[in-house]
């Protein structure tokens, strides 16, 4: 399974955009890029996923580099409720349902 | 619609006992996976079920087992509990079908907090 690299922690101010980076230089053509977040004392929450094109949903946007070796999760206006650990995961969809979680990025949002 | 439901939310067991945890997936989701989360090891994959068949298993001892019923509900069982089995056990369901190229996200439950004393 291909690995991802994320910064351990990031800080943001409330109501400002947040760009969470993820490097995945060994990504293969069939790997989907998934993002999940985990708030304290809760299970992980699905945020967004994509393959090649940029994706948008009500929670966030996913910007995927043209060579697919990196991606960025964009929270357009951070709120205090967005403070969580964010996980970037590669998943080969035709393979197992396994998600391999790394250490993720702990996002702190300051009021 | 209802999310992934895990029962019980909290459980305290004694070393050597066994435990069964339950997971009801989102209606229509046939893929169910289980994860263990501990402060030291983070989130680790236990196993995945689809159509009552185990599709993949993580690197856990045979004391950890599971099953899936025809209505997609799943249970996991841990026998001969050890102190190190204390963890948050999470279940996740998805519309994903094995072998299909199209991918879907996973919806996680709130977990069962197991404490072994």
């Amino acid at each position: 399974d291909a690995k991802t690299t994320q910064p351990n922690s990031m800080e943001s101010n409330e109501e400002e955009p947040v760009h969470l980076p993820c490097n995945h230089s060994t990504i293969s053509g069939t790997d989907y890029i998934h993002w999940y977040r985990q708030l304290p004392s809760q299970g992980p929450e699905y945020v967004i996923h994509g393959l090649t094109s940029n994706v948008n949903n009500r929670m966030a946007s996913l910007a995927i580099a043209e060579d697919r070796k990196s991606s960025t999760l964009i929270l357009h206006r951070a709120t205090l409720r967005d403070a969580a650990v964010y996980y970037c995961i590669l998943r080969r969809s035709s393979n197992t349902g396994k998600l391999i979680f790394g250490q993720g990025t702990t996002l702190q949002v300051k009021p | 619609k209802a999310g992934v439901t895990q029962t019980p939310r909290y459980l305290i067991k004694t070393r050597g006992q066994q435990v069964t945890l339950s997971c009801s997936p989102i209606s229509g989701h046939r893929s169910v996976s289980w994860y263990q989360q501990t402060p030291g090891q983070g989130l680790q994959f236990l196993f995945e079920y689809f159509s009552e068949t185990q599709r993949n298993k993580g690197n856990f001892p045979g004391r950890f087992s599971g099953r899936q019923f025809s209505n997609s509900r799943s249970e996991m069982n841990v026998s001969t509990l050890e102190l190190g089995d204390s963890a948050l056990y999470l279940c996740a369901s998805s519309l994903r079908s094995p072998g299909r190229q199209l991918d879907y996200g996973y919806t996680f439950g709130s977990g069962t907090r197991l404490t072994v004393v």
Side-chain angles (χ1 to χ4, degrees):
Chain A
D1 298 296
K3 291 190 175 180
T4 62
T5 304
Q6 300 176 253
N8 287 333
S9 62
M10 290 184 64
E11 285 185 359
S12 172
N13 293 317
E14 197 175 11
E15 297 191 5
E16 289 185 356
V18 182
H19 291 234
L20 296 162
C22 181
N23 287 320
H24 29 78
S25 58
T26 59
I27 191 171
S28 77
T30 55
D31 286 342
Y32 278 81
I33 302 160
H34 281 242
W35 283 84
Y36 289 79
R37 71 181 185 181
Q38 188 171 23
L39 282 66
S41 303
Q42 294 186 25
E45 177 185 26
Y46 167 78
V47 178
I48 201 166
H49 78 283
L51 185 60
T52 56
S53 305
N54 294 344
V55 184
N56 299 295
N57 66 21
R58 61 174 181 82
M59 288 183 69
S61 295
L62 175 60
I64 301 173
E66 203 168 323
D67 63 4
R68 303 212 319 129
K69 292 183 185 296
S70 66
S71 61
T72 303
L73 179 70
I74 303 166
L75 306 179
H76 296 286
R77 287 186 65 196
T79 69
L80 297 179
R81 291 181 299 171
D82 290 324
V85 179
Y86 286 79
Y87 298 98
C88 170
I89 299 165
L90 298 183
R91 229 182 59 74
R92 198 154 298 171
S93 67
S94 59
N95 204 338
T96 75
K98 179 168 63 174
L99 295 170
I100 299 177
F101 287 84
Q103 295 306 305
T105 297
T106 299
L107 175 66
Q108 184 181 358
V109 180
K110 295 188 282 188
Chain B
K1 56 182 178 183
V4 176
T5 303
Q6 291 189 246
T7 56
R9 288 295 310 275
Y10 301 93
L11 207 50
I12 300 176
K13 288 286 189 178
T14 305
R15 270 185 303 174
Q17 286 186 312
Q18 74 164 14
V19 66
T20 299
L21 311 180
S22 178
C23 172
S24 293
I26 288 176
S27 178
H29 287 194
R30 295 162 61 192
S31 178
V32 175
S33 301
W34 288 88
Y35 292 80
Q36 180 196 66
Q37 185 171 28
T38 60
Q41 298 298 318
L43 279 149
Q44 292 185 287
F45 173 78
L46 279 158
F47 24 65
E48 177 199 20
Y49 287 88
F50 183 86
S51 291
E52 303 177 66
T53 302
Q54 187 179 92
R55 300 289 171 157
N56 197 27
K57 192 176 191 302
N59 191 23
F60 280 82
R63 299 184 298 107
F64 291 81
S65 63
R67 60 177 175 169
Q68 186 180 34
F69 302 95
S70 58
N71 61 357
S72 294
R73 191 178 70 85
S74 177
E75 289 182 346
M76 67 163 282
N77 183 278
V78 187
S79 62
T80 319
L81 284 165
E82 301 177 359
L83 295 179
D85 297 334
S86 295
L88 179 66
Y89 290 89
L90 293 155
C91 169
S93 74
S94 172
L95 282 168
R96 197 191 87 82
S97 294
R100 294 282 184 91
Q101 185 62 34
L102 191 59
D103 202 15
Y104 295 89
Y106 279 79
T107 302
F108 282 78
S110 298
T112 295
R113 173 75 62 186
L114 172 65
T115 302
V116 182
V117 297

